[in-house]
């Protein structure tokens, strides 16, 4: 990829709404992304390989459990700092941000929120330091948007649980040391179990041939009579609301992250349009290109304001599931549109790996689907404003 010249757009002086700590966190993450992610990411995406060497740096920059208290190894930051980190990391690559979302919000968060003290002490510091990589198993081959129908199950065998079933489309699965797995007990009640690599009958085959999130490892979690110690059940919460509450936290991070991808596409297209000469003038001087660029910065600015406000609500413990859904859906939608328009501004160059745009565009095709599809988030808004669920 060409050298990383990224300059962050801030059309409405949103920086004035950020604290010094927020700006420091953002600068540190941005500098790290420019130094460690940008130079290698295109190559890893082309090879469809997960850049495992980034794990240590992600931990050092605080991207594993930014809002988890320091006593458990987290960074103890607020939700705006978490959001800004996800924005900067996804500005580099959605797949790298995925790793952080899963580790922080889908593995550390449930252990922190619903785990026993022993579970927190055992797993959180190692997850925060990157010694352990985690994955989150909710989706199954026949239950994606409708996770409540899952068939993965466990039986109480007296001194342990016996886990059977399979999860698919699981980020980090092939490399994960631990997996937070959602399964039904004999009464059909959903619980979270911490499954550890090495447990007999637990395998994590990799999913190949993806055109999207190629620098993120995706796989299955397969459980064939896995004996899970009883102390690995998350005791604090059961029911579908438990995994869905983790999704709230991850979707919030994605709402910020997708803005980062949009910012990178806009910034790249603006710079290119000012430099690229056709018909003896920069293409940025043509009205059609200005329309594209002006609409991009308008949508980015609206999305920046939305996620900032959502962050303030989240800091106050007031952000609702429906508000988070709206922001996740909006950010990904505008990012995808901006990626497509930006790609066109670059003409033929836009399809190459010399620029980040096509990679962002392909990555965003996963982001618009995972953590609740575009349709599901619209239906969550619909249910919230009408009071009538239209899922079933
Ligand atoms: P429904 O009857 O509405 O709700 C069941 C129970 O859950 C409660 N609840 C929530 N609780 C906490 N937080 C939330 N966000 C909640 N949403 C609902 C609800 O109150 C109810 O509680 P109770 O006590 O009454 O039982 O459930 P439903 O089966 O009708 O489904 C609703 C629907 C469709 C919105 C939900 O299933 C959904 O969100 N589906 C989308 C599935 C999804 O997002 N999967 C993501 C998998 S993980 C992933 O993609 C990771 S990618 C990571 C990466 O790489 O970055
Ligand atoms: P389906 O649910 O089969 O949906 C197919 C289509 O039907 C969609 O367009 C959907 O919007 C539509 N649809 C479904 N229900 C309705 C309805 N009621 N009304 C209208 N339209 C509807 N899952 C995890 O648990 N952990 C992970 O780490 C994880 N990582 C992922 C990484 C990648 C790269 C991808 C692609 C997915 C990942 N997922 C993960 C799974 C992801 O959450 C699911 O793909 C997603 O929830 C959608 O499920 P599905 O693919 O089964 O699609």
């Amino acid at each position: 990829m060409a050298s990383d010249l990224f300059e962050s757009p801030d059309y409405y002086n949103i920086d004035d709404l950020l604290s010094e700590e927020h700006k420091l966190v953002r600068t540190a993450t941005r500098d790290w992304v420019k130094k460690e992610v940008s130079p290698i990411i295109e190559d890893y995406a082309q090879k469809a390989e997960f850049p495992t060497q980034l794990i240590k740096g992600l931990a050092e920059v605080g991207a594993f459990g930014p809002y988890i208290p320091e006593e458990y190894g987290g960074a103890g930051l607020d939700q705006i700092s978490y959001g800004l980190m996800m924005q900067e990391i996804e500005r580099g690559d959605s797949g790298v941000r995925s790793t952080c979302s899963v580790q922080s919000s889908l593995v550390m968060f449930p252990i922190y929120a619903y785990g026993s003290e022993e579970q927190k002490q055992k797993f959180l510091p190692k997850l925060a330091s990157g010694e352990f990589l985690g994955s989150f198993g909710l989706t199954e081959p026949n239950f994606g948007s409708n996770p409540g129908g899952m068939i993965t199950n466990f039986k109480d065998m007296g001194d342990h649980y016996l886990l059977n079933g399979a999860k698919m489309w699981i980020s980090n699965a092939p490399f994960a040391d631990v997996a937070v797995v959602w399964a039904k007990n004999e009464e059909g009640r959903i619980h979270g179990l911490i499954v550890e690599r090495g447990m007999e009958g637990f395998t994590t085959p990799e999913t190949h041939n993806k055109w999207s999130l190629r620098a993120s490892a995706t796989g299955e979690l397969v459980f064939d009579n896995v004996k899970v110690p009883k102390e690995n059940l998350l005791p604090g919460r059961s029911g579908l609301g438990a995994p869905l509450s983790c999704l709230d936290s991850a979707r919030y991070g994605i709402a910020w992250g997708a803005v980062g991808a949009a910012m990178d596409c806009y910034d790249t297209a603006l710079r290119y349009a000012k430099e690229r000469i056709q018909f003896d003038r920069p293409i940025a001087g043509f009205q059609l290109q200005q329309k594209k660029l002006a609409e991009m910065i308008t949508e980015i600015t609206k999305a920046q304001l939305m996620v900032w406000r959502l962050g303030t609500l989240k800091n106050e413990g007031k952000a609702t599931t429906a508000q988070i859904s709206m922001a996740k859906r909006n950010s990904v939608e505008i990012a995808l549109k901006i990626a497509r328009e930006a790609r066109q501004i670059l003409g033929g160059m836009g399809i190459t790996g010399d620029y980040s745009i096509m990679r962002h565009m392909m990555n965003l095709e996963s982001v618009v689907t995972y953590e609740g599809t575009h349709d599901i988030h619209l239906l969550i808004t619909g249910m919230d404003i009408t009071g009538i669920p239209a899922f079933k």
Side-chain angles (χ1 to χ4, degrees):
M1 198 181 85
S3 57
D4 186 348
L5 304 171
F6 177 69
E7 284 175 42
S8 170
D10 184 15
Y11 205 74
Y12 261 42
N13 300 348
I14 293 165
D15 269 13
D16 293 351
L17 301 171
L18 304 178
S19 68
E20 284 311 307
E21 182 175 72
H22 295 150
K23 287 186 236 176
L24 280 172
V25 164
R26 185 184 57 188
T27 302
T29 316
R30 182 172 299 167
D31 290 350
W32 182 82
V33 168
K34 282 196 175 196
K35 186 162 169 274
E36 305 292 341
V37 179
S38 302
I40 58 125
I41 197 65
E42 182 63 32
D43 188 35
Y44 276 81
Q46 293 280 0
K47 291 188 294 192
E49 264 184 41
F50 175 51
T52 46
Q53 72 272 29
L54 295 182
I55 290 174
K56 194 164 169 283
L58 285 167
E60 280 165 6
V61 89
F64 292 160
Y67 56 88
I68 299 291
E70 287 168 290
E71 61 174 304
Y72 295 117
L77 295 167
D78 75 349
Q79 292 291 326
I80 303 254
S81 292
Y82 169 43
L84 286 164
M85 275 187 183
M86 296 304 105
Q87 173 191 289
E88 293 304 317
I89 293 169
E90 189 147 3
R91 207 277 302 170
D93 188 75
S94 304
V96 181
R97 195 270 308 135
S98 268
T99 295
C100 302
S101 296
V102 171
Q103 185 89 339
S104 302
S105 287
L106 299 182
V107 179
M108 294 178 74
F109 172 78
I111 295 174
Y112 172 66
Y114 310 130
S116 66
E117 191 53 38
E118 292 70 36
Q119 290 168 345
K120 290 182 210 185
Q121 299 287 355
K122 181 174 174 190
F123 295 106
L124 292 178
K126 287 184 173 160
L127 288 159
S129 70
E131 186 181 339
F132 278 0
L133 190 68
S135 65
F136 174 89
L138 182 65
T139 306
E140 299 188 356
N142 293 320
F143 299 95
S145 297
N146 174 28
M150 68 175 67
I151 54 174
T152 298
N153 65 87
F154 63 97
K155 288 192 172 72
D156 189 336
M157 306 303 283
D159 62 342
H160 65 269
Y161 297 119
L162 201 62
L163 179 65
N164 278 291
K167 302 286 176 178
M168 81 178 290
W169 294 118
I170 308 303
S171 300
N172 298 351
F175 292 90
D177 303 283
V178 293
V180 169
V181 175
W182 301 93
K184 286 181 176 165
N185 67 10
E186 285 148 284
E187 288 77 47
R189 183 87 182 154
I190 294 171
H191 287 266
L193 298 159
I194 304 170
V195 181
E196 300 173 63
R197 186 168 295 282
M199 287 180 176
E200 208 181 322
F202 174 42
T203 49
T204 59
E206 185 160 1
T207 303
H208 295 289
N209 296 330
K210 293 181 298 170
W211 282 109
S212 175
L213 283 196
R214 288 169 62 82
S216 162
T218 313
E220 295 167 52
L221 302 174
V222 182
F223 316 105
D224 180 9
N225 285 321
V226 180
K227 283 184 182 174
V228 181
K230 285 202 153 169
E231 63 265 22
N232 281 27
L233 180 115
L234 296 178
R237 189 165 176 185
S238 64
L240 185 58
L244 292 182
S245 69
C246 307
L247 297 184
D248 276 358
S249 181
R251 290 167 177 173
Y252 166 78
I254 293 171
W256 281 85
V259 176
M263 284 161 61
D264 196 49
C265 294
Y266 165 76
D267 179 63
T268 304
L270 178 62
R271 188 173 305 106
Y272 187 90
K274 289 201 271 191
E275 288 170 2
R276 174 71 176 165
I277 308 292
Q278 287 294 288
F279 300 96
D280 302 322
R281 54 194 290 217
I283 59 169
F286 296 121
Q287 287 184 359
L288 284 173
Q289 305 314 317
Q290 287 192 5
K291 177 174 186 291
K292 290 189 181 86
L293 291 163
E295 286 176 352
M296 285 181 201
I297 190 63
T298 306
E299 290 307 320
I300 287 170
T301 304
K302 283 152 67 179
Q304 283 174 317
L305 288 165
M306 191 183 228
V307 294
W308 176 82
R309 175 62 185 148
L310 187 65
T312 62
L313 288 171
K314 206 152 190 314
N315 276 340
E316 294 164 10
K318 292 184 191 160
T320 66
T321 293
Q323 286 168 334
I324 294 168
S325 276
M326 182 184 280
K328 189 265 184 184
R329 184 174 188 276
N330 181 67
S331 293
V332 182
E333 178 167 44
I334 67 117
L336 257 173
K337 281 189 182 152
I338 287 169
R340 288 171 186 146
E341 295 282 278
R343 217 267 332 130
Q344 290 190 55
I345 290 177
L346 267 70
M349 288 310 292
I351 71 151
T352 72
D354 292 354
Y355 296 88
S356 54
I357 296 174
M358 189 84 179
R359 177 168 44 81
H360 281 306
M361 193 163 97
M362 296 199 302
N363 282 343
L364 288 162
E365 290 293 341
S366 286
V367 184
V368 77
T369 288
Y370 69 33
E371 298 271 5
T373 68
H374 203 57
D375 298 328
I376 289 296
H377 289 297
L378 180 129
L379 294 177
I380 290 173
T381 305
M383 176 173 70
D384 195 50
I385 57 176
T386 65
I388 307 167
F391 305 106
K392 299 170 190 169

